[in-house]
Amino acid sequence: MKKIYTRTGDEGTTGLHGRSRVPKDDIRIEANGCLDELNALVGIIRSFLPSDDEWQELLHVIQKELMVIMSHVATPPGVVNPNVLHAVELTGRCEKEMDAMMNTLVDHGYFLLPGGTVISAHLQFARTVARRAERRLWTLNREHPLDKGILCFINRLSDLFFVMARMEMQRQNWPEEKWQKFSYKRKSAE
């Protein structure tokens, strides 16, 4: 690539895999924009972590899978995408990682205010971006069905980032800021 700009988008369209063009506010492009933002945010989180941190490898694998998912989102029906999805396997890995962290976390029983350490705050931010990406993917899925593994993986990512944010607070011995108890826990205590 000799130039970064092509001028092909100057009239409000952008290309999909297979060379078709859609408006820049097409749901495929909106969904991919959210996934791209999430991937960039995961990169920011990784930049705050020491290079030998135990989360580096997992977050790197997640970033690479987000790129594969974006290529699939940008592939219209009838066009073959050569990038192999690993979303189902990675969803299982995320669940195992969360289970291991949850076994060491102190049960809080409260809704928490996002924040704390820089890493925890960014993980909470990643959680919200993952939720937005998931909403856009479900909108796209109604018009153009997606691989179910993609939808499950993005759902699980938001959970993973929440658990990692809590784990980061515990790793740094930083107190979590509580908002209020879960209503179902309040009722059972009465």
Side-chain angles (χ1 to χ4, degrees):
M1 179 186 298
K2 294 184 182 186
K3 292 184 180 181
I4 190 67
Y5 60 90
T6 63
R7 298 187 177 122
T8 57
D10 291 351
E11 298 300 317
T13 65
T14 192
L16 293 178
H17 186 73
R19 300 194 185 263
S20 62
R21 296 196 68 80
V22 295
K24 288 192 176 197
D25 61 353
D26 182 89
I27 187 57
R28 283 187 187 281
I29 305 310
E30 180 63 25
N32 260 352
C34 294
L35 292 168
D36 191 26
E37 181 182 355
L38 179 60
N39 204 348
L41 189 49
V42 172
I44 290 169
I45 293 165
R46 288 184 63 214
S47 76
F48 291 132
L49 293 169
S51 60
D52 61 348
D53 189 274
E54 62 185 312
W55 291 344
Q56 280 285 1
E57 188 270 335
L58 173 62
L59 293 173
H60 183 248
V61 169
I62 287 169
Q63 282 191 286
K64 292 193 314 187
E65 188 64 12
L66 286 171
M67 296 298 288
V68 171
I69 289 169
M70 287 190 295
S71 78
H72 281 266
V73 170
T75 303
V79 176
V80 175
N81 185 317
N83 296 311
V84 179
L85 281 169
H86 298 285
V88 172
E89 298 87 352
L90 197 47
T91 299
R93 179 172 176 194
C94 289
E95 289 172 351
K96 287 178 185 169
E97 295 281 347
M98 282 186 283
D99 291 344
M101 285 185 267
M102 290 300 293
N103 283 335
T104 64
L105 283 172
V106 176
D107 183 26
H108 58 82
Y110 286 83
F111 286 101
L112 302 172
L113 297 177
T117 69
V118 169
I119 293 170
S120 178
H122 279 83
L123 285 162
Q124 290 284 4
F125 186 23
R127 171 187 59 79
T128 67
V129 174
R131 286 286 185 223
R132 180 166 26 95
E134 181 186 15
R135 291 190 302 271
R136 298 303 175 267
L137 288 169
W138 276 104
T139 301
L140 173 60
N141 186 66
R142 281 195 297 274
E143 291 180 32
H144 305 286
L146 295 168
D147 184 292
K148 186 165 174 40
I150 291 172
L151 299 165
C152 292
F153 174 64
I154 300 302
N155 180 296
R156 212 65 82 248
L157 272 186
S158 60
D159 297 331
L160 175 68
F161 294 143
F162 175 75
V163 174
M164 289 175 79
R166 290 203 60 227
M167 191 70 213
E168 167 62 10
M169 296 289 281
Q170 189 168 296
R171 289 191 327 177
Q172 301 305 324
N173 199 27
W174 196 289
E176 295 176 311
E177 290 185 279
K178 300 171 183 174
W179 176 57
Q180 68 181 26
K181 281 193 170 206
F182 295 138
S183 61
Y184 70 90
K185 292 192 178 196
R186 283 195 308 252
K187 289 177 184 172
S188 64
E190 293 172 355

